[in-house]
């Protein structure tokens, strides 16, 4: 068994296709780290000019209105005066804090600023969020901004209580670990699972090129399949090495951050008006949960490829089935659909690993049922079913793994 | 030990192996001879369970048979088949391949270096097999099976692409393995070599295994039974038969005329020798029917 493992291991890491996947991923990571990450332009950034411009405009308006007789003025003028009088002190605090270099005070004022701004902006025809949310005619711009403001309010609330050094890079999520967090909430899980699929795709079918060497090995077919699966899983874990290289590159430019950084997650709280919509976990916990869910996904994809390989014996079919699983969620995903369908029971609903851990996916689905624990249970159950099917085939005396 | 009972394999209605029943013992070297496509490889594939039989059963030591996957693994621990040289991993070295087989069969690692030395592979075994010639690859495949060190070794065309020196080296190694008590089953077209070393030789005819001794009763005996004359003109043959009516003659497709000597005395043999020399036919030998003759006689083909 150990001999067969070593044999498969060597083959896996000398496979030109696999080496190409690692090289392409490394190239993409280095490009991202050197060119894309430094150019990151968050919507919610620490922008003194923007705060000041907004503050001065409002202050000027308030001064102008103070000198006027407002009898008979439009009600919106009174509403603006009320809100500007209420919010401008917070902007004043933020500007003063930045002037003093007191980032803790800035975080406290900003947290409150986000809460207050959110309360009067959401679904208010007179006020709008940052215009960047409305790009590309986004149908859900308001909802996205509403969530982002809550998220920022929570994040800054935690920063205000922090006992570690604060920085603008930390606020804007530019540090290496926060960049990874952002990527895990974005395309990275699908990229990694896709890479795992491509790595595993020929792990069984390649044997047909060397049949007379392999088919006489005194090892049971089911053991061969398990060893192949294990090697493919280790190969999947190796995908994290390029990611770690990227973290080092970004870390050297923008700082590494640390595992205690707060990561807000959605709580689907019915009393959100009073208690808020989000809670926080540490970045370390976020990564741990993401890693577990990703590992579970690797295992699912690899076992499905193994089963498909013994049934269809064709890499293209393996690819098609794998792609169907990875992109299957797109066939039914739409905002709020979780309110009507039990999407939490579909394993494919858990593909956006970071969004499952931060639970923003629950916000999108309008469901509070998608949890990491349930996702792992569901994926594990799926794996067990696939493995049982594979074993039934592999233990059949007429089955030949290598023909 | 391998016991075949009524083994039948059919492809598209054609019986490639037809009701074969035979037993092979440990310490035997078995030769399989037949034209291409007549069932040699099929029989080997059946022995390895790479091919399911339509009928019949196969029994190994301790009553083991291919009745389940776990038993197949047990059988493959002591039965191996030489790999095909086209299946080698071109990016791995010869030594990597040998290590692979030694590890899979948990054999003594010392066997790797011993085999490399015995087969004169030292100068190339550490290079990638993609750079090997056909003969080098063939020797490596043979070495791979040797390091697996199984009790039963199946070899299909083991001598392919080998020069005469290497044929002899491999033959001696096979003899050594036979002396160690291993059963070696070889399918080969190098008939002289097979005849020299095999204990029993079987020819395939219409899916049946036919012992060479059944075709020519005295085949495996070292007795003088036949005069073999190369390129004997028909009129000379007729003249000889007229002079010695007790003789019978048969000209094979390979141009060899076999003259069965019966119970001729030494004087008669001297007379026949003189007759052939008179007829200007110096290429003749006294002895027994060779495997090449048998092959030409049986299949009407020349190798």
């Amino acid at each position: 068994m150990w001999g067969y493992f070593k044999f498969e291991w060597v083959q896996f890491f000398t496979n030109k296709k696999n080496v190409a996947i690692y090289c392409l991923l490394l190239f993409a990571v280095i490009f991202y780290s050197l060119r894309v990450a430094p150019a990151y332009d968050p919507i919610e950034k620490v922008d003194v000019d923007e705060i000041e411009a907004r503050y001065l405009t409002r202050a000027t308006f308030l001064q102008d209105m103070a000198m006027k007789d407002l009898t008979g003025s439009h009600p919106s003028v009174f509403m603006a005066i009320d809100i500007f009088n209420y919010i401008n002190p917070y902007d004043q605090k933020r500007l003063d804090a930045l002037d003093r270099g007191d980032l803790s005070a800035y975080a406290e004022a900003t947290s409150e600023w986000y809460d207050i701004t959110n309360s009067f902006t959401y679904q208010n025809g007179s006020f709008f969020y940052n215009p960047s949310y409305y790009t590309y005619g986004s149908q859900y711009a308001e909802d996205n901004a509403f969530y982002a403001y809550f998220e920022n309010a929570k994040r800054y609330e935690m920063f205000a209580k922090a006992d570690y050094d604060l920085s603008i890079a930390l606020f804007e999520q530019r540090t290496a670990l926060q960049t990874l967090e952002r990527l895990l909430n974005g395309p990275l899980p699908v990229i990694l699972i896709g890479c795992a699929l491509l790595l595993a795709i020929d792990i069984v079918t390649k044997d047909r090129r060397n049949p007379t060497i392999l088919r006489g090995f005194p090892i049971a077919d089911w053991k061969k399949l398990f060893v192949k699966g294990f090697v493919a899983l280790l190969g999947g874990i190796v995908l994290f090495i390029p990611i770690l290289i990227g973290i080092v590159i970004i870390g050297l430019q923008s700082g590494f951050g640390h595992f205690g950084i707060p990561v807000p997650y959605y709580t689907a709280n019915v009393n959100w008006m009073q208690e808020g919509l989000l809670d926080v976990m540490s970045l370390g916990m976020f990564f741990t949960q993401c890693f577990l869910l990703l590992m579970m996904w690797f295992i699912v994809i690899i076992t499905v490829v193994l089963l498909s390989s013994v049934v269809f014996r064709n890499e293209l079919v393996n690819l098609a089935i794998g792609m169907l699983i990875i992109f299957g969620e797109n066939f039914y995903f739409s905002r709020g659909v979780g309110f009507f369908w039990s999407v939490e029971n579909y394993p494919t609903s858990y593909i956006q690993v970071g969004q499952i851990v931060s639970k923003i996916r629950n916000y999108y689905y309008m469901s509070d049922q998608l949890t990491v624990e349930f996702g792992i249970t569901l994926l594990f159950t799926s794996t067990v079913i696939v493995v049982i099917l594979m074993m039934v085939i592999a233990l059949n005396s007429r089955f030949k793994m290598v023909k | 030990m391998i016991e075949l009972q009524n083994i039948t394999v059919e492809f598209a209605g054609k019986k490639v192996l037809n009701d074969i029943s035979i037993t092979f013992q440990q310490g035997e070297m078995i030769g399989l001879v037949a034209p291409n496509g007549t069932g040699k490889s099929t029989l080997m594939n059946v022995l390895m369970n790479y091919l399911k039989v339509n009928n019949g059963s196969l029994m190994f030591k301790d009553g083991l048979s291919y009745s389940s996957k776990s038993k197949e693994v047990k059988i493959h621990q002591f039965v191996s088949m030489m790999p095909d040289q086209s299946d080698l991993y071109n990016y791995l070295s010869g030594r990597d391949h040998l290590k692979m087989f030694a590890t899979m069969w948990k054999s003594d690692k010392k066997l790797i270096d011993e085999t490399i030395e015995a087969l004169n592979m030292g100068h190339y075994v550490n290079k990638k097999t993609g750079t090997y010639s056909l003969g080098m690859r063939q020797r490596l495949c043979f070495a791979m099976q040797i390091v697996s060190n199984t009790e039963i070794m199946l070899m299909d065309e083991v001598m392919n692409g080998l020069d005469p020196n290497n044929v002899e080296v491999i033959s001696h190694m096979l003899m050594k393995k036979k002396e160690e008590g291993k059963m070696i089953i070889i399918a080969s077209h190098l008939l002289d070599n097979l005849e020299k070393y095999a204990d029993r030789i079987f020819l395939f005819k219409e899916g049946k295994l036919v012992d060479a001794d059944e075709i020519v009763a005295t085949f495996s005996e070292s007795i003088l039974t036949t005069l073999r004359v190369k390129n004997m003109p028909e009129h000379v043959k007729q003249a000889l038969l007229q002079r010695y009516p007790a003789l019978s003659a048969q000209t094979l497709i390979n141009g060899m005329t076999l003259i069965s000597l019966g119970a001729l005395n030494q004087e008669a043999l001297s007379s026949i020798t003189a007759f052939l020399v008179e007829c200007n036919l110096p290429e003749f030998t006294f002895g027994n029917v060779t495997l090449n003759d048998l092959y030409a006689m049986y299949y009407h083909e020349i190798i």
Side-chain angles (χ1 to χ4, degrees):
Chain A
M1 195 84 154
W2 172 242
Y4 190 71
F5 169 78
K6 282 198 289 185
F7 170 65
E8 279 294 335
W9 176 266
V10 169
Q11 280 198 74
F12 188 90
F13 287 102
T14 48
N15 183 321
K16 285 177 185 166
K17 181 251 312 163
N18 293 353
V19 172
I21 290 168
Y22 289 121
C23 288
L24 283 173
L25 184 66
L26 181 63
F27 177 79
V29 164
I30 291 172
F31 180 79
Y32 182 90
S33 309
L34 294 174
R35 300 299 299 269
V36 181
Y40 172 56
D41 184 23
I43 296 177
E44 301 304 331
K45 53 193 163 195
V46 181
D47 189 339
V48 179
D49 293 340
E50 191 222 329
I51 300 170
E52 198 167 52
R54 197 171 48 219
Y55 171 77
L56 291 174
T57 307
R58 287 169 179 167
T60 308
F61 174 81
L62 290 171
Q63 280 170 9
D64 288 352
M65 292 303 112
M67 290 183 283
K68 283 185 181 172
D69 176 11
L70 297 175
T71 312
S73 295
H74 194 273
S76 61
V77 174
F78 295 102
M79 186 176 79
I81 291 168
D82 279 350
I83 289 175
F84 289 174
N85 271 321
Y86 189 57
I87 196 71
N88 252 19
Y90 289 101
D91 273 330
Q92 175 74 62
K93 276 190 202 171
R94 293 171 78 195
L95 288 169
D96 291 346
L98 285 175
D99 262 355
R100 293 195 309 274
D102 184 351
L103 294 181
S104 187
Y106 173 81
E108 191 180 347
T110 303
S111 172
E112 288 164 345
W113 183 90
Y114 272 114
D115 267 339
I116 293 159
T117 308
N118 213 11
S119 66
F120 66 74
T121 309
Y122 184 58
Q123 293 187 338
N124 181 326
S126 304
F127 290 96
F128 296 94
Y129 292 102
N130 190 312
S132 301
Y133 288 107
Y134 300 89
T135 51
Y136 310 114
S138 173
Q139 190 184 346
Y140 301 101
E142 281 239 320
D143 292 331
N144 292 344
F146 175 69
Y147 189 90
Y149 271 45
F150 264 120
E151 201 177 54
N152 275 289
K154 198 72 190 174
R155 216 185 281 275
Y156 278 106
E157 182 191 326
M158 300 313 291
F159 284 144
K161 298 174 191 166
D163 55 0
Y164 45 80
D165 289 341
L166 299 175
S167 67
I168 303 294
L170 199 66
F171 290 164
E172 294 185 345
Q173 291 183 269
R174 288 181 189 279
T175 65
L177 293 179
Q178 285 174 302
T179 303
L180 182 60
E181 179 207 335
R182 283 191 283 112
L183 287 173
L184 283 167
N185 274 308
L188 189 59
V190 169
I191 291 171
L192 290 177
I193 296 165
C195 285
L197 167 68
L198 293 174
L199 289 172
I201 202 159
D202 61 342
I203 197 151
V204 175
T205 51
K206 68 178 168 47
D207 287 353
R208 67 182 169 211
R209 291 193 285 269
N210 315 83
T212 60
I213 287 183
L214 300 169
R215 60 186 172 182
F217 281 178
I219 301 172
D221 287 342
W222 69 269
K223 285 186 184 171
K224 287 182 190 169
L225 288 168
F226 271 88
V227 170
K228 283 171 183 289
F230 185 58
V231 168
L233 181 63
L234 292 178
I237 293 171
V238 172
L239 287 169
F240 288 102
I241 292 175
I243 305 294
L244 290 175
I245 292 170
I247 288 174
V248 171
I249 296 171
I250 296 171
L252 293 172
Q253 299 171 92
S254 310
F256 287 93
H258 54 83
F259 294 111
I261 293 172
V263 177
Y265 65 90
Y266 178 65
T267 55
N269 189 349
V270 288
N271 294 322
W272 62 268
M273 293 281 273
Q274 288 79 37
E275 297 170 12
L277 201 60
L278 297 151
D279 211 336
V280 284
M281 68 174 94
S282 68
L283 194 54
M285 177 56 76
F286 176 82
F287 285 149
T288 305
Q289 294 192 16
C290 283
F291 182 75
L292 289 175
L293 201 50
L294 260 179
M295 282 301 101
M296 208 56 237
W297 264 112
F298 284 179
I299 293 169
V300 167
I301 285 293
I302 289 164
T303 49
V304 166
V305 166
L306 292 176
L307 176 65
S308 167
S309 298
V310 298
V311 174
F312 301 108
R313 298 172 186 272
N314 185 308
E315 286 104 335
L316 277 178
V317 176
N318 294 352
L319 182 66
I321 292 172
M323 294 294 237
L324 200 64
I325 291 170
I326 292 173
F327 296 106
E329 190 190 29
N330 295 309
F331 289 106
Y332 59 86
F333 173 77
S334 74
R335 290 284 185 111
V337 76
F339 187 76
F340 307 102
W341 298 348
S342 301
V343 289
E344 69 276 6
N345 293 332
Y346 309 159
T348 44
S349 299
Y350 297 86
I351 197 78
Q352 295 293 344
V353 168
Q355 294 184 16
I356 292 294
V357 175
S358 67
K359 299 195 176 172
I360 191 172
R361 209 66 183 165
N362 289 3
Y363 178 73
Y364 292 154
Y365 271 125
M366 208 187 285
S367 163
D368 58 353
Q369 302 296 311
L370 288 98
T371 64
V372 174
E373 295 78 16
F374 189 66
I376 288 176
T377 309
L378 199 59
L379 293 174
F380 179 76
T381 310
S382 309
T383 304
V384 170
I385 293 167
V386 172
V387 168
I388 289 170
L389 288 172
M390 196 172 77
M391 288 290 284
V392 167
I393 294 169
L395 289 172
N396 186 312
S397 62
R398 298 197 79 82
F399 170 73
K400 301 279 174 221
M401 203 163 107
V402 185
K403 284 191 173 174
Chain B
M1 184 271 288
I2 309 178
E3 188 182 345
L4 292 91
Q5 291 173 341
N6 310 107
I7 295 289
T8 301
V9 174
E10 281 184 36
F11 293 129
K14 189 193 170 195
K15 286 185 177 173
V16 180
L17 301 181
N18 186 6
D19 199 28
I20 293 176
S21 296
I22 198 160
T23 302
F24 301 128
Q25 299 296 344
Q26 289 305 122
E28 265 194 315
M29 192 187 293
I30 308 293
L32 301 177
V33 178
N36 294 326
T38 44
K40 297 190 302 285
S41 301
T42 305
L43 179 63
M44 294 215 174
N45 285 332
V46 166
L47 294 177
M48 291 299 293
N49 200 34
Y50 296 159
L51 198 61
K52 286 285 174 193
V53 295
N54 295 90
N55 191 31
S57 64
L58 198 60
M59 195 81 79
F60 293 87
K61 67 174 185 181
D62 303 328
L64 279 171
S65 65
Y66 290 120
S67 55
S68 68
K69 280 280 177 187
S70 59
K71 284 185 179 167
E72 182 185 83
V73 173
K74 278 185 186 165
I75 293 169
H76 282 178
Q77 282 167 356
F78 63 86
V79 182
S80 64
M81 186 160 157
M82 194 180 97
D84 192 282
Q85 53 87 15
S86 63
D87 284 354
L88 294 173
Y89 289 90
N90 287 336
Y91 57 88
L92 294 180
S93 70
R95 190 180 286 277
D96 291 335
H97 282 83
L98 295 175
K99 278 184 191 168
M100 180 203 308
F101 265 53
T103 312
M104 290 302 164
W105 273 274
K106 299 185 178 81
S107 54
D108 190 349
K109 295 284 190 293
K110 280 191 287 185
L111 208 51
I112 295 175
D113 287 323
E114 287 170 15
T115 308
I116 290 169
E117 195 184 334
L119 294 174
N120 301 321
M121 294 166 64
H123 63 289
Y124 72 85
V125 76
N126 293 323
K127 294 178 185 167
K128 290 184 176 178
T129 59
T131 62
Y132 291 6
S133 68
L134 179 67
M136 290 153 97
R137 293 170 81 89
Q138 192 68 8
R139 259 189 289 167
L140 173 62
C141 288
F142 176 73
M144 285 160 75
Q145 188 165 30
I146 293 298
V147 299
S148 74
N149 205 26
T150 52
E151 292 169 34
I152 299 172
M153 296 180 171
L154 312 179
M155 301 181 186
D156 198 357
E157 300 299 350
V158 60
M159 307 296 182
N160 256 11
L162 296 179
D163 58 48
N165 281 342
N166 280 312
V167 168
E168 275 311 301
V169 168
I170 285 185
S171 301
H172 282 112
M173 187 165 262
L174 285 174
M175 289 306 289
K176 199 177 143 206
K177 291 290 153 190
K178 194 187 99 165
E179 283 161 15
E180 288 172 13
K182 297 188 188 304
M183 180 200 299
I184 299 161
I185 300 178
I186 303 177
S188 176
H189 283 109
L190 276 189
L191 303 185
D192 292 339
N193 179 266
L194 208 55
E195 186 178 2
K196 193 170 165 187
Y197 296 109
D199 297 305
R200 285 197 282 166
I201 293 173
F202 293 90
L203 288 85
F204 279 78
K205 188 80 172 180
E206 291 163 359
K208 300 271 189 191
L209 268 188
V210 184
D211 195 325
D213 279 334
E214 287 177 27
I215 303 166
V216 175
T218 55
F219 177 74
S220 57
E221 293 173 29
S222 299
I223 54 170
L224 196 159
T225 61
T226 309
L227 169 62
R228 304 171 71 252
V229 187
K230 198 171 182 185
N231 299 327
M232 187 180 205
E234 186 59 28
H235 68 276
V236 177
K237 186 168 87 179
Q238 293 305 329
L240 182 71
L241 291 177
Q242 272 182 2
R243 189 178 289 190
Y244 302 98
L247 301 180
S248 61
Q250 179 183 9
T251 300
L252 305 176
I253 196 162
N254 60 359
M256 191 66 75
T257 301
L258 303 182
I259 297 159
S260 178
L261 297 174
L264 287 184
N265 57 26
Q266 198 172 350
E267 195 183 328
L269 294 178
S270 302
S271 165
I272 291 170
T273 306
F275 173 79
L276 291 173
V277 172
E278 263 175 38
C279 295
N280 203 21
L281 287 172
E283 285 189 63
F284 62 88
T285 55
F286 287 99
N288 204 343
V289 175
T290 66
L291 189 55
N292 270 305
D293 299 336
L294 204 61
Y295 188 93
M297 199 189 295
Y298 207 61
Y299 296 115
H300 308 291
E301 273 186 24
I302 308 167
I303 285 190

